[in-house]
Structure formats: structure tokens, C-alpha cells
């Protein structure tokens, strides 16, 4: 889970899920998809070798005011082939 906390409308909506390949063979992330068009995930372009670290980047549209509760589904060749990642938080309107 990545918690955005409370952020202002228009703030940077990019966050990263960091992970390590703890297996004994290359990890191939085949598909990363979001539960909503307001969240754009980006998967690693190459395989992740054993012991190596990488990130799955997620960009949330912070022009949408209100609570953030979205799921990102990751498909790979891991022992658990489907993993659900979550982002949460809130975007609030700023009045000056």
C-alpha cells in the first residue's frame, strides 16, 4: 500500500512501489493495470534478475478532488502470479 496522505489538487501524483526479486530466476512483469483510468501504472521494461531491485511507478490524476482508493494489479512469472497493490489518500481543493 502506498499512502498519499492528504495532498492538494494539482500536486505531483507520481509514487513508486519498490520491490526486490527474492527468487532464483529472472522476474518478468507481464502486465500492470489499474482499476481506474485516473491511475496510470508503469511497469519495468526489462526482466528483474535475482537480488535486483526495481519499481512500479503509479501516477494518480490529482485534479480529481476526493478520496483515493485504487488497486493496481500486477501479473508476473512469480510463484504468486497476480498481486494487488493499493494506493490511498485524499486530494483536497485549495482555496486562497
Amino acid at each position: 500500500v502506498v499512502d498519499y496522505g492528504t495532498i492538494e489538487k494539482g500536486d505531483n501524483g507520481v509514487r513508486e512501489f519498490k520491490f526486490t526479486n527474492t527468487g532464483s530466476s529472472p522476474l518478468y512483469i507481464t502486465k500492470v493495470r489499474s482499476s481506474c483510468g485516473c491511475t496510470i501504472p508503469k511497469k519495468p521494461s526489462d526482466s528483474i534478475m535475482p537480488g535486483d531491485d526495481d519499481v512500479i511507478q503509479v501516477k494518480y490524476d490529482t485534479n480529481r478532488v476526493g478520496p483515493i482508493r485504487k488497486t493496481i494489479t500486477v501479473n508476473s512469472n512469480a510463484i504468486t502470479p497476480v498481486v494487488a497493490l493499493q494506493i490511498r489518500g485524499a486530494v483536497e481543493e485549495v482555496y486562497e
Side-chain angles (χ1 to χ4, degrees):
V1 175
V2 168
D3 191 343
Y4 279 67
T6 300
I7 59 175
E8 294 180 0
K9 180 179 178 182
D11 274 358
N12 181 355
V14 177
R15 300 293 187 273
E16 293 181 338
F17 287 91
K18 297 179 182 181
F19 64 93
T20 302
N21 179 357
T22 59
S24 59
S25 59
L27 175 64
Y28 298 97
I29 297 179
T30 54
K31 189 175 189 181
V32 179
R33 65 186 184 280
S34 171
S35 59
C36 169
C38 60
T39 307
I40 302 169
K42 181 179 176 186
K43 71 179 187 74
S45 57
D46 295 324
S47 61
I48 299 92
M49 300 308 290
D52 285 354
D53 300 325
D54 213 324
V55 296
I56 293 174
Q57 188 181 75
V58 177
K59 182 175 182 179
Y60 182 76
D61 179 3
T62 59
N63 287 316
R64 296 173 183 238
V65 175
I68 303 170
R69 291 207 183 277
K70 303 299 174 193
T71 301
I72 295 90
T73 305
V74 180
N75 296 80
S76 73
N77 66 326
I79 292 172
T80 306
V82 179
V83 175
L85 308 176
Q86 296 180 342
I87 60 172
R88 64 179 172 205
V91 178
E92 61 183 23
E93 186 78 47
V94 178
Y95 300 101
E96 295 183 27

